Amino acid sequence: MYALLIALLAALPLAAQPVKKIQTITESEVPALVRRAFVENYGNVADGTWTVAFQVLNTGGKSVAQPLSYTFKKGNGHEKVEVRLSPEGRIETSKGIEKLNPTS
């Protein structure tokens, strides 16, 4: 009986860990701050795909999605473009595309 109770108590911290997910979203679902940062740095790039990486937190019996980053992807191979931005609009990584004004 005590062994079962100890096993259950040991498993509780594992159940409380946030769940990380990635989901494809439309450009209109990307926050304005993130879109503005993208356009200011790279211009208006069309025909790409936006994804959001987020974690699901269980707080007080409620599940809340907290965004971790937003990623724009376009093309593949040598033509591949990928830019990841923070929820605050800060550029975290970029590949295959040059900034409009490289000094900023």
Side-chain angles (χ1 to χ4, degrees):
M1 169 99 172
Y2 290 112
L4 179 61
L5 181 60
I6 291 172
L8 287 173
L9 289 175
L12 281 177
L14 296 176
Q17 296 293 321
V19 177
K20 294 182 181 175
K21 297 183 177 187
I22 297 176
Q23 183 173 337
T24 301
I25 57 175
T26 64
E27 186 175 351
S28 64
E29 293 174 301
V30 178
L33 183 63
V34 174
R35 279 186 288 159
R36 188 175 325 116
F38 184 89
V39 170
E40 287 174 359
N41 284 283
Y42 301 106
N44 193 9
V45 181
D47 300 329
T49 304
W50 284 95
T51 58
V52 59
F54 62 96
Q55 63 184 358
V56 178
L57 303 171
N58 293 320
T59 314
K62 293 183 181 179
S63 294
V64 179
Q66 178 185 33
L68 301 171
S69 65
Y70 294 88
T71 304
F72 175 83
K73 293 181 182 179
K74 178 181 177 179
N76 55 28
H78 296 297
E79 303 291 322
K80 184 176 183 178
V81 172
E82 184 174 324
V83 179
R84 186 173 69 214
L85 299 102
S86 72
E88 297 80 27
R90 188 177 59 253
I91 298 167
E92 294 180 345
T93 63
S94 65
K95 299 175 188 173
I97 190 170
E98 297 294 323
K99 285 187 174 184
L100 295 176
N101 185 1
T103 59
S104 61

